[in-house]
Amino acid sequence: MKFAFALLFVFALFGNVLAQEASANEDPNGPQITFAQDTKDFGDIVQGDKVSHSFEFENTGTEPLILSNVLTTCGCTATSWPREPIAPGESAKIEVSFNSTGKKGRQNKVVTVVSNATNAQERVKLITNVLPNKDAQ
């Protein structure tokens, strides 16, 4: 009987903790970054090709959004992003480019966007399949 009460207490305690975490993440106040598209698949490209894409996003929150960093997974991926605050309801773009020189096969390049938003770290991806350059064969 004591075990049943102890088990019930533990479940109740964890339920309250999880409920508090969920409500903290769903705070309607503050900046919120919302991407129109979070993945761009270029399909097949030839080794040496350079591709780029503009990831458009909107501040769907209630306070100005400030991007503090945009991190790439390797030197073959470059970014350009706005340094000024984005007001609520405004949109902006993050430019991401990928240089396939020296790459082959399936590529999945993840870019992490760090900001003051309630969803502080968001990720966008460039996906492609790099085919060998026919001139190099």
Side-chain angles (χ1 to χ4, degrees):
M1 185 73 163
K2 287 182 182 181
F3 179 74
F5 282 120
L7 190 60
L8 182 62
F9 176 75
V10 168
F11 281 127
L13 180 65
F14 280 116
N16 286 335
V17 168
L18 292 176
Q20 287 175 357
E21 270 187 37
S23 65
N25 291 337
E26 296 170 6
D27 185 8
N29 298 319
Q32 178 79 24
I33 189 168
T34 304
F35 283 93
Q37 173 187 22
D38 64 358
T39 303
K40 174 62 178 169
D41 190 339
F42 289 99
D44 291 341
I45 64 172
V46 177
Q47 188 177 49
D49 285 352
K50 295 176 184 175
V51 293
S52 61
H53 182 71
S54 295
F55 287 99
E56 188 170 333
F57 64 92
E58 180 182 354
N59 179 0
T60 55
T62 58
E63 295 178 16
L65 172 67
I66 300 169
L67 303 184
S68 56
N69 208 351
V70 177
L71 307 166
T72 61
T73 53
C74 78
C76 60
T77 310
T79 62
S80 174
W81 43 282
R83 304 302 205 262
E84 67 280 348
I86 295 102
E90 286 188 2
S91 295
K93 295 178 182 180
I94 297 173
E95 304 287 334
V96 181
S97 61
F98 168 69
N99 183 347
S100 67
T101 301
K103 304 291 183 189
K104 61 182 174 181
R106 186 92 171 141
Q107 301 291 313
N108 183 11
K109 300 303 175 186
V110 177
V111 176
T112 303
V113 180
V114 182
S115 71
N116 68 330
T118 55
N119 51 331
Q121 287 193 4
E122 286 292 311
R123 289 175 177 79
V124 295
K125 293 185 246 178
L126 293 182
I127 299 171
T128 190
N129 184 43
V130 180
L131 301 174
N133 188 336
K134 292 181 182 179
D135 294 337
Q137 292 180 352

